[in-house]
Amino acid sequence: AGAIAADLDKVLFERLQNAAIWSRLEVMQDLQVQDVDRRLSAFLARLQEGYGGVYRDLSALDTAGRIVASSRPAALGQVIKHDRSDRKVSLSGTPLALSLPAPGAVGPAASLSISAPVLSRFDDAPLGELRLEFDWQQVDAMLDRAAGDGRTLAIIDGGGRLIAASRRLREGLSADSGAAS
């Protein structure tokens, strides 16, 4: 359990570090001009590709929650409601908000949303936020590898909510919810 927790801590710290660092890059200032030349979108697309499936989406939103730049061109212009954040942390002086996958979200629907503010370099006024959608299936895969064939593993949050589980437990839960329907 300790080794799995350490691996998960490392993976999540790296994701938080990415958000904190990337939100301060010069290219993020393109939010100020609504990414007219799509330079920020191209940058986010290259990051997503370079991270090979770690992120489902990388987006930059203006202060109204409208996607101005994204690794997914089809997302441009969509408005994202500021959903609840399960945790707020600070890393290297950057405040970060995390939203865990929705209860029952599995497969492609499951992602951990990490948001970091993007501030103007001139006056620290908010320009919007950088949002990283971390593919939560990677956490399930970590648990699957650690569980092997005979064990079940789960991660429970501070409120007692199941937030990740190994395959055997996930399949048992989906079979139970199918039987209840």
Side-chain angles (χ1 to χ4, degrees), residues 2-61:
I4 295 165
D7 287 347
L8 182 59
D9 281 348
K10 179 182 174 199
V11 166
L12 293 180
F13 176 76
E14 289 171 356
R15 305 299 65 89
L16 296 174
Q17 193 172 39
N18 287 349
I21 292 169
W22 296 345
S23 68
R24 293 187 303 242
L25 294 176
E26 180 69 33
V27 70
M28 292 297 158
Q29 297 298 300
D30 285 11
L31 268 173
Q32 204 156 16
V33 292
Q34 302 295 301
D35 195 31
V36 293
D37 61 0
R38 298 290 176 242
R39 186 174 76 121
L40 180 52
S41 285
F43 174 73
L44 295 173
R46 284 191 309 272
L47 279 176
Q48 183 184 24
E49 183 180 327
Y51 274 79
V54 169
Y55 297 107
R56 293 185 187 282
D57 183 40
L58 302 171
S59 297
L61 290 66

Side-chain angles (χ1 to χ4, degrees), residues 19 82-83 94-99 113-117 129-132:
H82 288 279
D83 44 11
T94 302
L96 303 169
L98 290 78
S99 297
S113 181
I114 305 168
S115 306
E129 72 180 43
L130 174 64
R131 182 174 284 207
L132 289 65

Side-chain angles (χ1 to χ4, degrees), residues 166-178:
S166 58
R167 177 174 289 111
R168 193 166 151 193
L169 186 54
R170 287 192 315 269
E171 288 171 352
L173 291 172
S174 62
D176 289 346
S177 64

